[in-house]
Amino acid sequence: MDTVYKLVALDMDGTVLNKEGAVSPENRKWINAALEAGVTVSFSTGRGVQSALPIIEEMQLTTPIVAVNGSEVWERPGKLLRRHLMDAEVMGRMHALAVEYDTWYWAYAVEGVFNKEKWLDDPSSVQWLKFGYFTEDSDKLRLIRATLETWGGLEITNSHPNNLEINPGGISKASGVGEVCRLLGIGMHEVIAVGDSLNDIAMIRAAGLGVAMDNAQDAVKRAADAVTATNDEDGVAHVIRRYIFGEQPAERSGE
């Protein structure tokens, strides 16, 4: 018997959002159709909740949120379920590495977003959630990643080919979606997860059905069970139509 999926976990950038950073009318229509059918549709994003909320509020969603690659899980907008913090000393070391390699960097804290143009003299003065590097120099990214891997205890992914995103070890979108499943009383086998970047791979592998966008990084496509259309071709709507409602829009098989 076909699995009845009860949760659709959606990445934001490059997945639900098109190149203009908007939710298309078609994606919105089918997300709402899934909700009306009793399926939970949740965002699982690398964004901090402060960055994700404008879109969530615009869509009038009251479902759980996995934010900052799993470092925060919200039962609903405004109600925190779980938070996983990054050690301030490790944040200081990652900041020093960014300065050493002269990259753009940013970090999410409970208290706000900090970056190369706005940093703190005392990293221990806030509660850290995630650190990120951005550079178009692939050699710099490779060297930074190699250094971080020697430290251990870190979850290293990306949300774009030109960045690195670092969370506490064991914290990922998969761990966040798992917490949402426990909240809802369902299993990971009842989840559809959709994404496009390395920070989506863990949840794509852990879900009952993992779907990569056609614009996804190649490693994500290899990890997925299926590949849908691009974020500019309403790929999320295709997934919901096919796997929630049993319709058959054009679909690519997984790689």
Side-chain angles (χ1 to χ4, degrees), residues 32 107 149 223:
N32 286 335
E149 286 173 347

Side-chain angles (χ1 to χ4, degrees), residues 224-251:
D225 301 303
V227 180
T228 188
T230 72
N231 62 321
D232 281 332
E233 299 170 327
D234 307 317
V236 165
H238 289 212
V239 171
I240 293 172
R241 287 176 62 191
R242 178 167 184 176
Y243 297 107
I244 299 298
F245 293 102
E247 299 186 14
Q248 294 293 325
E251 195 79 19

Side-chain angles (χ1 to χ4, degrees), residues 3-154:
T3 301
V4 176
Y5 296 107
K6 297 179 180 176
L7 170 64
V8 181
L10 300 173
D11 170 53
M12 274 190 166
D13 297 281
T15 300
V16 174
L17 303 182
N18 59 25
K19 287 178 183 173
E20 283 70 50
V23 182
S24 71
E26 189 74 359
N27 277 349
R28 191 183 303 265
K29 169 188 170 182
W30 286 98
I31 288 171
N32 286 335
L35 291 166
E36 289 167 11
V39 177
T40 302
V41 182
S42 288
F43 280 119
S44 183
T45 178
R47 293 186 182 209
V49 73
Q50 57 269 67
S51 175
L53 272 177
I55 294 157
I56 290 166
E57 289 170 351
E58 177 199 337
M59 296 183 68
Q60 299 181 313
L61 294 179
T62 57
T63 51
I65 307 159
V66 176
V68 215
N69 290 341
S71 280
E72 286 187 339
V73 181
W74 295 77
E75 187 172 329
R76 61 176 184 273
K79 185 174 182 185
L80 182 70
L81 178 67
R82 196 91 65 237
R83 178 177 282 150
H84 305 272
L85 298 176
M86 182 82 78
D87 183 78
E89 187 270 334
V90 174
M91 291 294 292
R93 291 168 65 196
M94 288 192 289
H95 172 252
L97 203 57
V99 172
E100 177 186 345
Y101 282 97
D102 189 27
T103 71
W104 175 259
Y105 58 87
W106 78 99
Y108 278 109
V110 174
E111 295 80 2
V113 184
F114 300 89
N115 58 39
K116 188 173 184 177
E117 295 174 351
K118 174 193 169 188
W119 197 248
L120 295 166
D121 293 331
D122 179 12
S124 66
S125 63
V126 297
Q127 299 178 84
W128 294 107
L129 297 166
K130 184 181 81 168
F131 192 92
Y133 300 86
F134 178 91
T135 176
E136 294 180 352
D137 186 330
S138 58
D139 287 335
K140 283 185 179 181
L141 278 184
R142 180 177 52 80
L143 291 167
I144 290 169
R145 182 175 190 125
T147 300
L148 294 171
E149 286 173 347
T150 67
W151 297 359
L154 299 173

Side-chain angles (χ1 to χ4, degrees), residues 178-217:
E179 293 191 54
V180 172
C181 284
R182 287 189 286 278
L183 174 69
L184 299 176
I186 65 174
M188 286 294 284
H189 66 286
E190 297 171 294
V191 177
I192 300 174
V194 191
D196 72 308
S197 295
L198 300 190
N199 62 348
D200 298 308
I201 285 182
M203 73 170 181
I204 281 173
R205 285 179 171 154
L209 179 71
V211 183
M213 304 299 291
D214 199 35
N215 52 284
Q217 296 174 44

